[in-house]
Structures are given as structure tokens and as C-alpha cells.
Amino acid sequence: MSNDSTNQGLSHFDASGQAHMVDVANKNDSHRSAIAAGKIRMKPETLSIIQQGTAKKGDVLGIARIAAIMAAKRTSDLIPLCHPLALTRVTVDFSIEEATATISCQAQVETIGKTGVEMEALTAVQVGLLTIYDMCKATDRGMVMTDIRVLEKHGGKSGDWVSLIDG
Amino acid sequence: MSNDSTNQGLSHFDASGQAHMVDVANKNDSHRSAIAAGKIRMKPETLSIIQQGTAKKGDVLGIARIAAIMAAKRTSDLIPLCHPLALTRVTVDFSIEEATATISCQAQVETIGKTGVEMEALTAVQVGLLTIYDMCKATDRGMVMTDIRVLEKHGGKSGDWVSLIDG
Amino acid sequence: MSNDSTNQGLSHFDASGQAHMVDVANKNDSHRSAIAAGKIRMKPETLSIIQQGTAKKGDVLGIARIAAIMAAKRTSDLIPLCHPLALTRVTVDFSIEEATATISCQAQVETIGKTGVEMEALTAVQVGLLTIYDMCKATDRGMVMTDIRVLEKHGGKSGDWVSLIDG
Amino acid sequence: MSNDSTNQGLSHFDASGQAHMVDVANKNDSHRSAIAAGKIRMKPETLSIIQQGTAKKGDVLGIARIAAIMAAKRTSDLIPLCHPLALTRVTVDFSIEEATATISCQAQVETIGKTGVEMEALTAVQVGLLTIYDMCKATDRGMVMTDIRVLEKHGGKSGDWVSLIDG
Amino acid sequence: MSNDSTNQGLSHFDASGQAHMVDVANKNDSHRSAIAAGKIRMKPETLSIIQQGTAKKGDVLGIARIAAIMAAKRTSDLIPLCHPLALTRVTVDFSIEEATATISCQAQVETIGKTGVEMEALTAVQVGLLTIYDMCKATDRGMVMTDIRVLEKHGGKSGDWVSLIDG
Amino acid sequence: MSNDSTNQGLSHFDASGQAHMVDVANKNDSHRSAIAAGKIRMKPETLSIIQQGTAKKGDVLGIARIAAIMAAKRTSDLIPLCHPLALTRVTVDFSIEEATATISCQAQVETIGKTGVEMEALTAVQVGLLTIYDMCKATDRGMVMTDIRVLEKHGGKSGDWVSLIDG
């Protein structure tokens, strides 16, 4: 009986319920990728300030992108049972929806390795959104981060997975 | 004319639009606190697994709490323009709403210092939720993290602020 | 003549006595594992408090386990001449001996790599024991950590090694 | 009734048994110091190699001292519920006892702050000993680290504490 | 006789020549600042690429500034005997001299603390220049970083110091 | 048309000018090495103090070497768009030129991986020189770090590159 079934699907715990960093030595090195996304909602005037800044000065999204990329590399330091991985690619994109005063962040992370990179993509998104919050909080404390999730993952034994929720 | 007005309220940029870590030397050391919150939505069966684990073994929320507390201490490493702060208190609580198959995370952070601790509270919430995602992702890749925001902050020159959104 | 013999067996120094991170490029990637162990001795009442906590609340050993696992991943940051390694597995177990009011910690670490993982296993044990000390120090400052050592290692050119001391 | 009594002396847990980083905002900033110590036992020939190195080249203890000092600064990153502290002094000394082929490490740490520095002193000792192990492990895998404990602490509300065990 | 005179002016070593993190507990908290500067010389065409990027896309200097600010906060992690400090301000400016195809980086760091911030300012400059190198190295491996030094420092017992070399 | 040509040779930016950590998944793992160098100029009396220390106590260069080696391992944490790499070798050497009161630092870094190690070698040199500055700054604030550059690199698709400047 597999670990998963003895412990109801939570592979991060062994049969006696203790947490461990699971054994991946026998997994193949394969090309793995994941895309995660999330949003931050704000007041229209806050979005307007960010948009003006991006054009010429006060580049909020440029800084948030750097913070997000750096955070992806720190994932295994932050998430207790995550395996360290040598990432081969990290990209972070922002898009603006004026109608809802929302900025979306999407991160794509890839590696050649033994475990997937969903956590790295999610961490990039979270820290990208947090950095936007940090830089705008003096004018808008009520911003809300939302809809943070994995959109798709590829590679590894579990193969492809694509979210059914509309991205 | 203040920095804020020359740069439209984004204090993290100087008058020429360049990012900086703003000068807080003249701010008083005061007792500051912030509470942030957020949620993760999952399949009912995933929630059920977590609930069984918490009771006896496979303590997902206990581990997420530790990750959240440790992340609060790493905030200034992750967020580019955040000041380092010697935190005096970090608490993290989880609550479960079965009807919606949702776990809420709430973090309270305090310091005696020159800047507020909203970012530390938000970082704790984000990493707490990410850790839940990590430990349950083998059974439920579609979990969504949502409604991550500051609920209230106290102390410092800007004084008290409480979110108008229902917590 | 090998490096080892010119410098009396301390491979971390070159022929002129200067420290370096030794060249492992020509070593094969192989499956390597190490088990380390150690103990913390305390007052019987302290052990009793921990035992009550583990059962229902105040889970000292659960937190120490997480700290130990995370520390294993930080080893090359802490130990100056350690090579960074992508760990494939970390497990940490505690056992209680009531007669001597002692908790034993045992860590097993594995990787597919060019150098062994003894240091990662030892670091996990040390930080696991330190975390127990931290959480109980308010009631028992005189706790002593002892018998911290490698029990066995496998893989690599030097092959298997098992401690002759009784574990 | 105090936190301690409701939770049997484990101040790192709240009344419901959940871990937290305890509130120290109301503690006074005071001058605090702690001394910790520990030993590593080895084969006489290993000790002999270290002794020759210290004199002229291959300075094992010099490197271990630097690792120990740097580790003291990382303590709150490693120990989950430790408060971050701005250390004002760290010293690390080694002494050699040839009769037992043992090296002792003693670390003294000081701060002006709201919590004690026992954990920082212990972490320095642990990493100092681990670094010795790392540099000598190619010739002596059976080294044992032992008797790691706090010798004394001063400052803060709990005042002076001195270990009754002979240092 | 002071520490300095017993050890020829190297305060980072004690009377027996061992490194330590020096005791600053008795120093006053005062407002301290330091300015450091340095340059990177490149091919004129490399400078031209950077200049075009800054205007509209490919913002090399914006990214280097963020890396520099973040590095200032990591100084005590990198420099073994540096005290950790809660920085109150970090600014980083770049200026371009086309005639010599050189970019200058200047960092100003401030704190209210017990030790000076020269190391933090120098670290910011070093990492700012390194980041420029990293982003342009595919087209110009021969870039040279040079003239990295402290321009001035203020505060603390040693008071003001200004470099006699032309900035 | 390649990424490089669409964005004028700055591979760290995509076609729209946004920074990313470039995709290296399709690069081969190969043996890569880089040598970087740099200097610190000081007052003759400062150099004299360092020279006396190296012989017997106050080992400035020994400590700078350790800091440099440890910094090489932290490169991808410091430089935003650097890929994490498992280094297989790091050596750091210092040489003294009395005539000009200058210490040169040279670092050699190697890996088996998908990207080069120039940044790791440069980071080691920078932090090595910074550590010398830190330990001697009490007697000589005017020290200048200079001529920091890559001397040669080998491996990977771009093959060998050797600086034309005299090392």
C-alpha cells in the first residue's frame, strides 16, 4: 500500500503522521513547468498612479517583477517541506484591467528536476503582489490580493494538469 | 512640498522617480501592530483530510503556522523596499469553515519601531496559505488562495486603520 | 601525491594550507545517504510537559522536526566549506527515554550528488535539539545536548560507513 | 493566571496550545549576555592534525570560529520561535584537552534587547563544532559532539543564572 | 591600554589575535550615515544599450538599484564580523559618463545605531555594479569595476570623515 | 530572430523589455569554470599590520577567504536574475604587492551546470575585498577596491574567453 493511501493522500506525512521531506531520489529528472496567477484589487486612483509610474518613473511593476523572480529562488527556504530545485527559467508578467482596478500577476517557472515547480510559481506570484501592496500602501491600505492559484503544470509522473477555472 | 505630493503618493520613489528605502530615522519608535488575513478554498474532501490530521497526526495547520511565523521574520529579505524590523510578537491562527471548504489564516504582528508591520503580517498569511497548498497539492491542485488583506493596523504617525471590508 | 597526504588528511586545505571548497567535479553523481543522531537531557518534569503537549497541544517535537528539516536545507549556508546539494529526502524522528529524561533525535538525509550528506544530517539534529531547548528553556535552563554524531553513511567513493558506537 | 501556568511552563504556546512568537513588547531593553559551551571528541591523531594546522596552515579552529560567529547572527532564521535580536558582541573560544582528545568551544553573546541570547550562544557553539567536524570528517567520521549547554546568562527580568554543572 | 593598541589597530581581533564581533553595547545609539561609490567601465556600445533600455524597456539600472538596496540589508550575513543593524534609509544613484563609457554608482545608507554603516553602503555599491555586469555580460565580458570606496561617513564617536580623493 | 537581436544583446530582457530569468533548460550540463580578480589599495602601514597578522595572529586574509567562499554560494540570492547553481569548487587566493600597498584577490569557481560561473567568481572577489576593508577600516577608511573583473571563463556554448587586460 502506498504512502499516500496510508495517510489519506497527504504525502508530506509518513505512516505515523510525522512530517518529512518526501523521498524523490527515484523520480526521474524531467523538464517540469508550472504557471501560477493571482490578482490585487485596488482603488482606481491607485491603479492610475501605478500606470503613470510605469511609463516614466516610479516603476512599481518592474520592482515587483524582480521581487517575484528572486522569491521563486527562495521557495525552499520558506516552505518547510519543499525540495530545493535549480530553476532553469522564471518569468513574471503583469496585466492591468482598468474596469475592475485590478492588476493580475502571472508567473511561469521551469526546471529540469525530480519535483514540480508549482510552489515556486505560487511564491513568485505572492511576493510580486505583496511588493505592489508595499509600494502603494501609503495611499491605499485596503488593497486585496485574490484568486492566487496554479493555472497549469507539466512534466513529471503526474503529467499535465490544467485548471478548470477560467484564468 | 512633501515627497508624497511630488510623486503622487508613492513614497517608495524619490522626486525623480527612483526607488529608495525611505528615510525613517526621524520617526519615533512606537508600539505598532497589524493584523492581516486570507483564505484558501479547497475541495471538501481535502478539508476533511486536514481536519483528521490536525486531531491526531499529519498536523498541516501546525506546520503552516510555523512557516508563517518564520516568514514574518524574513519579510525585509523578500520585499525590496521594506525596512528590517525587530518583531516583538507574531501569532498566527487558522479557522475552518466547513460550509465553504475554506481555511482562514489570520496573523498578528507587533514591534516597537519606526515603521509599521503590515507587510510582515501579510507575508505570514501568504506563506501560511502557501504551506497548506504545498502539503495538500498532491490531492487537490485546484486550491485557491483569496481575500488576502490587512484587517487593521495601529501605532505610528498614521495611527489606527481598520478595514471596512467584513473580515 | 594526493592532496590528502600533502596536507595530513585535511582535504579542506590545499597544499599551502589555505582553505578551499574542494573540487568535486570529477566525482560521480550517486545516491548518498547519512543518518545522524543526538540527545537532549532534561529534568523529568520538563519531559513530562513535552509528553503532555505532544498528545494534544503544545507540540514541541512537531515544531522541532520542522526546524530540523528546514535547517538541513540551509547547511551549505552555515558550514563554510560545504558544497550546496539538492536534497532528495529528509526525515527526522524523536524518541523518548523516560528513565533518563532524555529525548533522542535521529535525522536521515539523502541526495543524488557528488558529495555526502553527513553535514546535512548533523545540522538537522543540532537544530532539532536546539529548538527543543528553545521551547523549554523557560522551565529548564540546564538541559544538555549530547552524543551528537553520524551513525552511518552510504554511497560515494568511500562507500558505507557505520559507527561502532552503540546508537 | 499567567500564560506559563495555563500552559505548564511552555511560554511558546498560547492557552489553546498553539505555537506563537511570544509578546516581548513590554519587556525592557536591558543588557543581556549568555555563555554556552560544548565539546567535540575525536581520535588523538585527528587532534594532532588540527594542532599542527593551527600553528601554521590549515587553520581549522580559525574557520570554525568565523562560522560560529556568523551562525549566531542567523539564529532567529533557524529557530522558529526566536525573536530577532541586534547582537552587540560575539566571541568564540576553543580550548584543547589532549588527554581526552577533545576540543571545547565556548561562545559569549551579548545584546541590548528584550529577550535573552542563550539561543544565539548555543547556535554559535553548535555550528562551531559542526565546522570542525566538517573539516576533519575525511579522516575521522566517528567524532562526537557532546555536553552542549548554557553555562550562564545575565540580564532581563529573570536575572542571573549559572549552571551547576562544572563547565 | 586599549584593544586597538594591543593589536595594532585591528579591532576585530582580541589581544590573543582571535577574531570576534566587537562589543558595542556601550556605544550610544546615534544617527549614522555613510556614502560609498564605485564605477563600472564598459565598451561604448554596451553603455549605449543600457541607455536605450533605461528610457523605455530593459531597465538595467532600475534592477541594479533594487539589487543594491536589498544587498545593503544582507550585509551582516555576508561580512563575518559585521554587526546586524536596522537600516533607516538606503538610496542608490547611478550616473553615466559617456566620454569614458562608465557608470558610477553611489549609495547612501543611514541608521540609528551603535556602529557605522560604511559596510552597508559599500555592499550596496558592489552588488549594484555586479548586477550591471550580470545583465550586460553576454555582450561585454571585459567590463571592469573600479574605484569602490567610502566617500564620507557621519555620526558615532569617530564623527565625520570625508575622503580626500575626488569623488 | 533571436531574443538577443530583438533586444540588442541584453538576454536578461524579453522582446517587450521585461526582465526575466532566462530559459536555460535546453543548455547542456557541462563543466564550467571562471576566474575573477580584483584589488584593494591601502596605506603601507595598513598592509604592514595585515602582514604581521597573517603570520601569527589576526588572520585578516584567512577570514576574508572564508567570507569570499561563502559569498560565492550566495550569488543567486544577491543577483536578481542569476540562476542557482550547485558549485563544485571554489578557491580564493590573495597576493600582496608591497610596492603599491595593494592586496590582490583571485577567485576560481567551477560547476557542472547549464550556465557559467562568472558571477559567482566576481561575488567571491567583491566580498573578499569587502571583508578586508571591514577588518581594517578602523585604521584606514580610505582604502579603495579596484580592477574587479573576470580574467577568464571556460565551458558552455560560448566556450573559452580570456581577458586581454593584463591580470
Side-chain angles (χ1 to χ4, degrees), chain D residues 99-117:
Chain D
T100 56
T102 298
I103 297 176
S104 293
C105 175
Q106 186 168 313
Q108 177 160 1
V109 177
E110 301 184 21
T111 195
I112 309 279
K114 295 176 187 306
T115 63
V117 286

Side-chain angles (χ1 to χ4, degrees), chain C residues 2-14:
Chain C
S2 81
N3 231 9
D4 276 11
S5 56
T6 56
N7 199 31
Q8 307 147 307
L10 296 189
S11 57
H12 283 300
F13 298 97
D14 64 19

Side-chain angles (χ1 to χ4, degrees), chain C residues 8 17 52 58 126 145-146 148, chain D residues 8 17 52 58 126 145-146 148:
Chain C
Q8 307 147 307
Q52 289 166 39
Q126 297 273 43
M145 289 164 274
T146 194
I148 300 155
Chain D
Q8 305 149 307
Q52 289 166 37
Q126 298 271 46
M145 290 164 274
T146 195
I148 299 159

Side-chain angles (χ1 to χ4, degrees), chain B residues 4-57:
Chain B
D4 276 10
S5 58
T6 55
N7 200 31
Q8 307 148 306
L10 296 190
S11 57
H12 282 300
F13 298 99
D14 64 19
S16 67
Q18 306 304 356
H20 58 164
M21 199 171 93
V22 298
D23 187 3
V24 299
N26 293 320
K27 292 192 174 188
N28 290 324
D29 279 321
S30 71
H31 189 184
R32 293 156 188 275
S33 66
I35 301 176
K39 298 177 188 173
I40 184 165
R41 267 199 328 262
M42 58 193 69
K43 293 187 289 194
E45 35 297 23
T46 309
L47 183 62
S48 169
I49 290 171
I50 293 175
Q51 286 178 298
Q52 290 165 36
T54 306
K56 182 149 150 290
K57 60 180 192 176

Side-chain angles (χ1 to χ4, degrees), chain D residues 71-122:
Chain D
K73 296 190 272 185
R74 309 286 292 279
T75 304
S76 68
D77 258 10
L78 295 170
I79 308 300
L81 304 173
C82 247
H83 294 80
L85 285 173
L87 306 182
T88 57
R89 185 187 186 202
V90 184
T91 65
V92 176
D93 287 303
F94 295 100
S95 58
I96 289 175
E97 192 189 12
E98 289 191 12
T100 56
T102 298
I103 297 176
S104 293
C105 175
Q106 186 168 313
Q108 177 160 1
V109 177
E110 301 184 21
T111 195
I112 309 279
K114 295 176 187 306
T115 63
V117 286
E118 300 99 302
M119 296 314 300
E120 284 76 7
L122 285 169

Side-chain angles (χ1 to χ4, degrees), chain F residues 44-98:
Chain F
E45 352 13 328
T46 309
L47 183 61
S48 169
I49 290 170
I50 292 174
Q51 286 179 298
Q52 290 167 38
T54 307
K56 182 148 150 291
K57 61 180 190 175
D59 184 6
V60 171
L61 300 185
I63 295 170
R65 179 180 291 110
I66 294 302
I69 292 170
M70 294 180 85
K73 295 190 273 185
R74 308 287 292 277
T75 303
S76 70
D77 258 9
L78 294 169
I79 308 299
L81 304 173
C82 248
H83 294 81
L85 284 173
L87 306 181
T88 56
R89 185 188 187 201
V90 184
T91 65
V92 176
D93 287 304
F94 294 100
S95 59
I96 290 175
E97 191 189 14
E98 289 192 11

